[in-house]
Amino acid sequence: MITTWNTSKATLLKQQEVPGGFDKANYKSERVFATAADGTKIPMSVVYRRDVKLDGSAPLLLYGYGIVWHFHSADISAGRLALLDRGVVYVIAHIRGGGELVNPGAKRVA
């Protein structure tokens, strides 16, 4: 998915077509936070099939990503559908955040 953020509202410019009868209404993505031992809130992106119970019984694939100022999205993609359709919950832990948790006065190193 390609979006533009020039305004306060994201505008969809292009979306990858997924052949084979894909219905995006069958999937859900959300943002949650885990609490580290030191109390730090760690943002996580979660994507799963809507019919999967989030009671701890579903398998989970956790991917840790830790680059400051970069957000790695958990959008639904063709490559993840095989896992999602088998009931796997896919989670990306943004260990250092995507820039939203960084001190606004911090110097950005690009």
Side-chain angles (χ1 to χ4, degrees):
M1 179 184 326
I2 300 172
T3 59
T4 181
W5 297 95
N6 293 337
T7 65
S8 61
K9 182 179 176 185
T11 304
L12 180 64
L13 301 176
K14 181 177 180 181
Q15 185 169 347
Q16 178 181 358
E17 181 180 340
V18 181
F22 169 77
D23 182 359
K24 67 181 180 180
N26 293 333
Y27 306 90
K28 184 172 182 183
S29 64
E30 58 187 78
R31 179 71 155 227
V32 298
F33 289 85
T35 304
D38 67 357
T40 303
K41 298 289 186 189
I42 301 169
M44 300 190 306
S45 298
V46 182
V47 64
Y48 54 93
R49 279 188 60 96
R50 288 187 184 273
D51 58 356
V52 169
K53 292 182 181 178
L54 300 180
D55 61 2
S57 63
L60 182 137
L61 175 60
L62 175 62
Y63 177 75
Y65 197 78
I67 295 179
V68 177
W69 298 110
H70 180 78
F71 177 76
H72 188 77
S73 175
D75 291 342
I76 298 169
S77 68
R80 293 187 184 123
L81 285 177
L83 289 172
L84 299 177
D85 286 342
R86 288 174 173 81
V88 174
V89 177
Y90 183 78
V91 179
I92 298 173
H94 307 281
I95 298 166
R96 293 187 181 168
E100 71 278 3
L101 301 178
V102 176
N103 178 343
K107 183 177 179 182
R108 182 175 179 173
V109 178

